[in-house]
Amino acid sequence: MSTSLPTPSVVAKKKELNLYAKNWVRNSHLANVAAILRTNSSLTFVGFRECCGVSDMGAVAIAASLGENSTLKKLNFESTKVGNKGVSALANAIGAGTNYTLYRLDLAYCPIGDEGVCALARAIAQTSCPLQVLHLDYCPQITDIAAHAVITAL
């Protein structure tokens, strides 16, 4: 079992980087993925589903790269430890109007509350926001306040 990321030259030839349930993946790996995303012109999907070592710090790193990426369409943080801070960073990147390709964001089963979801709602309300699919299933800290913010933003 490999416990390292593919090299940028290998990733350059791929459309997907799916690290599903790779328990060795940590936030430091996401910093490396963010560096790859800044110059990569082939990846359309990056997935960290069930990577238990991924938290806000990793999402912040990925968010910082979104403005420089022009191909990523789907980003999956489902069942990670990404919370309000990481989601707020993603929302800021999405709402900044510099990424025109990310249309799907999966955050199901993450410890997200109203703060993070309301930040996403503000990003969605931006006319330049490409996000069309947002998965927030089984995030029990989300209340009616955040749900109303998302509905209003649509």
Side-chain angles (χ1 to χ4, degrees):
M1 170 187 0
S2 174
T3 58
S4 63
L5 293 173
T7 63
S9 61
V10 169
V11 174
K13 300 171 188 168
K14 297 185 177 285
K15 291 202 177 279
E16 294 188 358
L17 178 60
N18 192 357
L19 298 171
Y20 172 69
K22 304 290 187 203
N23 289 326
W24 53 265
V25 174
R26 300 287 180 260
N27 291 319
S28 59
H29 294 105
L30 272 68
N32 294 336
V33 172
I36 290 169
L37 284 173
R38 285 187 175 92
T39 58
N40 183 281
S41 60
S42 64
L43 284 175
T44 60
F45 171 81
V46 175
F48 304 106
R49 181 178 172 201
E50 295 184 21
C51 292
C52 60
V54 172
S55 65
D56 286 331
M57 187 185 306
V60 168
I62 296 295
S65 70
L66 290 181
E68 300 172 58
N69 181 277
S70 61
T71 58
L72 190 65
K73 295 179 181 180
K74 301 175 194 172
L75 184 56
N76 190 334
F77 283 104
E78 181 181 333
S79 297
T80 63
K81 296 175 185 169
V82 173
N84 289 326
K85 183 177 179 183
V87 172
S88 293
L90 290 166
N92 288 337
I94 292 165
T98 55
N99 179 286
Y100 302 103
T101 58
L102 186 68
Y103 77 87
R104 181 182 176 128
L105 180 60
D106 293 303
L107 297 163
Y109 297 93
C110 288
I112 304 163
D114 290 347
E115 178 186 340
V117 176
C118 286
L120 282 169
R122 287 189 295 276
I124 292 168
Q126 308 265 339
T127 57
S128 61
C129 178
L131 198 61
Q132 296 175 14
V133 179
L134 175 62
H135 284 269
L136 297 169
D137 307 12
Y138 302 101
C139 296
Q141 297 174 28
I142 297 172
T143 70
D144 291 347
I145 294 168
H148 183 270
V150 171
I151 291 167
T152 303
L154 299 174

